[in-house]
Each structure stands twice: as C-alpha cells, then as structure tokens.
Amino acid sequence: MRIGVVSDTHDDRRNLETALGLLRTEGITQLLHCGDLCGPAIVELLSEFDVWIARGNMDRHPELDQTVHETVGRERLASSHRLTLDGLSVALVHGHQERELRSLINAGEHAYVFHGHTHRRNDRRVGATRVINPGALGGMRWQQRSFCILDLAADEVEFVTV
C-alpha cells in the first residue's frame, strides 16, 4: 500500500493541486494531511482521496469543520488520528502540541507517527517508530515545498519537491 502525506498547505491551492496530480498519476488514493489547511476551499481538492486530516494550529476558519464533514466525511478532521493502514498502527497529528507529539513518538505503539508544523521535512526512527514530517506545501517560510509518498509494504519514503 502506498500513501501520500502532505502538510501545511496554508491555502496554497496551486502547490496542493500539483501534489495531488502527482499522487493521482502514481495511483495513490490514500492521503494523510498533517494539518494547517487553513480555509475550507482547500478541502474540495482532497475529496477524491480517502483522506484523514489532523487539525493544525492555523485551522481556525469557522466553516472548516462543516466543510470537511460534508466533503470528505465525519471524523476525518481531528486533533489526532490513530489509524491502522495495511495492518500497521499509524498516528497522525499536526505537531504544534509538542507534548502530545513526543508522547506518541516515545510510546512505541505506532509503526509510524506523521506530523507537520515545522515546515521541515524529516524522516527518522525513534526505537521501532518511524517519524515522518513531509514538509510544507504552503506558508511563508523559506523551506522548499514538499510532500512525501510512503510505501508501507517496503517501508520506503520518497520526498517530492514541488
């Protein structure tokens, strides 16, 4: 199973459309969004994917919850998700609540912990847990815009720059 992981879109429609186009080309239908979509207009772009979204510190738009509910489904936007993908335990958070992020990483309960917030792509292991930040697709920081594709069966991650 291959999944797409994006984060920190910050309403950057162009970069998100580019990333989603590449994911479509790769035949990827499962998507994790590590938060900071910002506004509800971005949600419609995600609707063709089986998407789970972590609420980021910038996800405060009053219509965001309702839009996610109507567009991609109930329970798809939460401060954190604990999922089973391809038989593996996965945690998804934004990362701005550092204590929660550290707890998920250090618990050793998840094969993968995905987060965003820093806008810096990262791939590291802490014990048996692989911690992945796909980087950011939007925002005002200087880092290159990126997302990643993870092959769960092969345990291989590919960072893609947009």
Side-chain angles (χ1 to χ4, degrees):
M1 175 182 217
R2 295 172 72 219
I3 62 172
V5 185
V6 301
S7 190
D8 296 279
T9 48
H10 292 279
D11 286 329
D12 192 319
R13 193 173 183 90
R14 184 179 54 98
N15 284 348
L16 181 58
E17 286 174 339
T18 299
L20 297 178
L22 292 167
L23 292 171
R24 276 196 259 355
T25 299
E26 293 289 323
I28 294 170
T29 59
Q30 182 75 53
L31 181 66
L32 303 179
H33 194 301
C34 300
D36 279 0
L37 294 102
C38 290
I42 292 295
V43 177
E44 187 173 321
L45 297 175
L46 305 174
S47 66
E48 69 185 85
F49 292 86
D50 181 11
V51 63
W52 295 89
I53 305 163
R55 182 184 300 280
N57 58 303
M58 301 301 291
D59 292 331
R60 300 183 294 246
H61 193 285
E63 295 174 18
L64 185 60
D65 287 33
Q66 185 66 27
T67 303
V68 170
H69 169 76
E70 293 173 355
T71 307
V72 296
R74 285 190 179 271
E75 311 299 323
R76 293 302 179 121
L77 173 65
S79 64
S80 66
H81 294 285
R82 282 142 183 95
L83 309 167
T84 301
L85 299 176
D86 210 21
L88 299 167
S89 177
V90 169
L92 171 66
V93 294
H94 181 58
H96 64 292
Q97 296 176 330
E98 292 179 28
R99 183 178 295 164
E100 178 187 24
L101 178 59
R102 278 194 311 271
S103 177
L104 287 169
I105 293 168
N106 294 326
E109 298 173 1
H110 305 287
Y112 296 93
V113 173
F114 298 99
H115 73 94
H117 185 60
T118 65
H119 292 216
R120 289 187 290 267
R121 58 184 168 205
N122 193 354
D123 176 20
R124 62 189 171 106
R125 290 193 188 274
V126 177
T129 302
R130 191 165 185 181
V131 182
I132 298 175
N133 181 332
L137 286 174
M140 301 300 289
R141 298 185 188 170
W142 59 267
Q143 291 91 350
Q144 283 186 318
R145 303 298 174 233
S146 66
F147 69 98
C148 72
I149 297 172
L150 174 66
D151 185 324
L152 291 167
D155 191 31
E156 294 177 351
V157 66
E158 172 192 0
F159 287 95
V160 181
T161 301
V162 293

